[in-house]
Amino acid sequence: MERSRTTTRAHNTAVVGMQWGDEGKGKIVDLIAGRYDAVVRYNGGANAGHSVVVDGQRFALHLIPSGILYPGKLAIIANGVVVDPDALLREIDALHERRIDTSGLVLSSRAHVVMPYHKQEDEAREALLVERAASTHNGSRAIGTTKRGIGPCYAEKAQRAGAVRVADLLRPDLLRERVSIALALRGRDEADADDIVESMTAAGRRLAPSIRDTTYLLHELVQNGKALLFEGGNATLLDVEHGTFPYVTSSLASSLGIAPGTGLPPRHLNELIGVMKAYCTRVGAGPMPTEIHSQEAAYIRERGREYGTTTGRPRRVGWLDLVALRYSVMVNGVTSLALTMIDVLAGLPEIRLCTAYRTPAGTTDRFIPDAHDLESVAPVFETIPGYEGDLTTVRTRADLPDGARTLIDRIEQFSGVPVRIMSVGPGREQTILE
Ligand code: IMP
């Protein structure tokens, strides 16, 4: 693939989701990863699901950066990620089965470890919220988490005393002490620590060759002029600070998470690619102002294979929300957009774009990153003509049907940034690069 002008000057690039996840970041990272020396994950954990199609083979990656599919690249899991050792080892084994070399994998010694009790707690908290919502009708709702223990692990990190970091997997005595504290804080029998410590140290032995201080490694790479690609997990509207709280994940999933999640100051970032779909989807609970339940939603869901990579749940579907997009562009400092799933909308007679929200206080073109307030808005739509045909073989913007070009023009006008990558199918080659 030719080097595009999006990255000719820039050295370090981030790829971040503009919506509620599943925008196709995995494909975009995979597409451009060849130009970088290392691909870096800085947030989230096995809740993220990246699917990438290479030579017709679909890879589902959760923790390992998609750059692993390129031989010779470093795939770095930095300190801001929460790591489930079993999930990571399963992913490594699955890659080995497909003869993919994982020697470029580097795991931060300071990343926090998702423990079995974090996953149990995630399940139990969600179950309690579901039950409570059913019995009280008072609006308290489950978050609809991926139940991968992400929230409880980040909470333990903030609580500190019982938290386990990757380095502790190589220090059995310290690990035992920390697990015992974590169990005691939960009112559980500290004797349960034995099994947990045993399985965690076994995982630590396997992961040991990959474990390093990634902050120093990243600074060394920068000093040596190496190019870094940061791969955001989850997405901006799920960011714990800037998303639709409380229906968000527990990490800084926007580009703002890169500095804390890696130890690299923001000035090292030259380029920010925002990945967005031609429509919206959301998994789990929380407001999505443009959500639709019509036949069009079913059409988009089937054509876009809108079922969760991590959980298999059908994704909620909505029209493109330009208000939310412009907010995400602003918060992340996006320099260009990658628009995916353009082919999916083909066949719809018309396409709707949300350009403002009607709120009890009047119409606004500002996003509202608060679930309670966002729930009460009504979208103001503009309608553009749809388009037809098989777009998967189109390779230039000029060859796209009129409706698709109008869609891209509106996105550029509204967001103020250019769309430089257009994806018309899941394969690497099904892409228009400008
Ligand atoms: P958690 O990250 O498992 O705690 O889930 C919190 C919310 O974020 C839920 O609504 C999840 O469905 C959603 N979520 C987390 N990661 C992703 C992702 O990568 N794609 C889409 N939704 C996600």
Side-chain angles (χ1 to χ4, degrees), residues 20-22 47-49 122 143-148 150-151 233-234 238 248-250 282-285 313:
W20 286 280
D22 313 307
N47 53 352
D122 204 354
I143 310 281
T145 75
T146 59
K147 301 188 179 134
R148 296 295 189 271
I150 307 297
N234 327 119
L238 293 172
V248 291
T249 190
S250 323
R282 185 163 195 165
V283 204
R313 290 180 286 179

Side-chain angles (χ1 to χ4, degrees), residues 257-313:
I258 295 174
T262 61
L264 274 178
R267 69 186 165 87
H268 291 303
L269 198 60
N270 314 97
E271 181 186 27
L272 214 135
I273 302 175
V275 188
M276 59 176 291
K277 281 199 258 223
Y279 48 90
C280 285
T281 61
R282 185 163 195 165
V283 204
M288 177 164 68
T290 61
E291 183 166 14
I292 45 173
H293 302 279
S294 55
Q295 277 182 344
E296 286 135 320
Y299 182 81
I300 293 170
R301 185 176 299 113
E302 292 316 309
R303 282 177 61 89
R305 301 217 272 169
E306 296 296 355
Y307 295 89
T309 319
T310 302
T311 57
R313 290 180 286 179

Side-chain angles (χ1 to χ4, degrees), residues 419-431:
V419 176
R420 290 200 173 141
I421 301 178
M422 287 146 267
S423 171
V424 290
R428 265 182 192 166
E429 68 294 350
Q430 291 166 329
T431 313

